[in-house]
Amino acid sequence: MEKTIYIAGGCFWGVEGYYKLVNGIIDTTVGYANGNKESPTYNEVKSHIATHAETLKLTYDDKIISLEEILAHFLRFVDPYSIDKQGEDIGHQYRSGVYYTNEKEKDIIKSYFDSRLNPDYKIEILRLENFYDAEEYHQDYLDKNPSGYCHINLDLAKKDIKK
């Protein structure tokens, strides 16, 4: 069955690039989530006029990959104890978070992190309040720009689970 979850873990280019390699991922869209204004632009997010997190809308087949497996991948590349920073990406838009759309997802996410991380982890676990697609040039950025900046080691998407 097709499901969707929203993942924030630093620059959305790398988060998207990583998950595109994982078997069971159907579609990815980068955008801006849980911020203070409608339809923010990249420049508004970057300059903190808009308070959104750079986020990946991740559509997956839960018959192939579970939400727990998606979260396991997330913990391969995110520093769960960092505030507003992942790799060289610094700023509120680079906070880490998993944004859910129903209470069952919330329970799974919270239980997963609580059982694997120290209680002081900084990953936001919040209901998705809003999500706006990023500009077209951000979509599939690392496909279009193979040598583009990425804070994530894409080799962490282990060969046995790559598409």
Side-chain angles (χ1 to χ4, degrees), residues 150-163:
C150 182
H151 71 291
I152 295 173
N153 176 355
L154 299 181
D155 290 334
L156 293 173
K158 294 181 179 176
K159 291 181 171 103
D160 59 339
I161 51 85
K162 286 186 178 180
K163 292 182 180 176

Side-chain angles (χ1 to χ4, degrees), residues 113-127:
F113 291 148
D114 287 352
S115 68
R116 287 163 177 79
L117 300 172
N118 294 331
D120 62 339
Y121 66 85
K122 306 302 181 203
I123 300 167
E124 293 183 335
I125 303 171
L126 299 172
R127 177 173 289 283

Side-chain angles (χ1 to χ4, degrees), residues 16 20 23 25 27 33 67 73 78 82 91 104 119 133-135 141 143-144 152:
E16 180 183 48
K20 286 179 76 169
N23 193 28
I25 302 307
D27 191 42
L67 179 53
H73 283 285
V78 77
S82 180
K104 183 178 179 189
D133 291 3
E135 296 84 349
Y141 184 85
D143 292 341
K144 298 172 193 170
I152 295 173

Side-chain angles (χ1 to χ4, degrees), residues 46-107:
K46 186 176 176 180
S47 65
H48 307 290
I49 293 167
T51 60
H52 301 70
E54 288 194 15
T55 302
L56 177 66
K57 177 182 178 183
L58 188 61
T59 305
Y60 64 100
D61 182 341
D62 75 339
K63 300 234 185 287
I64 298 172
I65 188 168
S66 68
L67 179 53
E68 292 91 338
E69 290 170 308
I70 288 170
L71 298 174
H73 283 285
F74 181 68
L75 290 180
R76 286 183 182 163
F77 62 78
V78 77
D79 176 351
Y81 305 103
S82 180
I83 299 172
D84 296 346
K85 180 181 185 306
Q86 292 298 322
E88 298 301 313
D89 303 322
I90 300 170
H92 192 57
Q93 74 271 28
Y94 299 123
R95 64 193 182 270
S96 59
V98 181
Y99 308 118
Y100 59 87
T101 57
N102 65 63
E103 291 302 309
K104 183 178 179 189
E105 290 172 340
K106 175 187 176 184
D107 293 342

Side-chain angles (χ1 to χ4, degrees), residues 17-30:
Y18 179 97
Y19 279 109
K20 286 179 76 169
L21 298 172
V22 177
N23 193 28
I25 302 307
I26 297 168
D27 191 42
T28 60
T29 303
V30 296

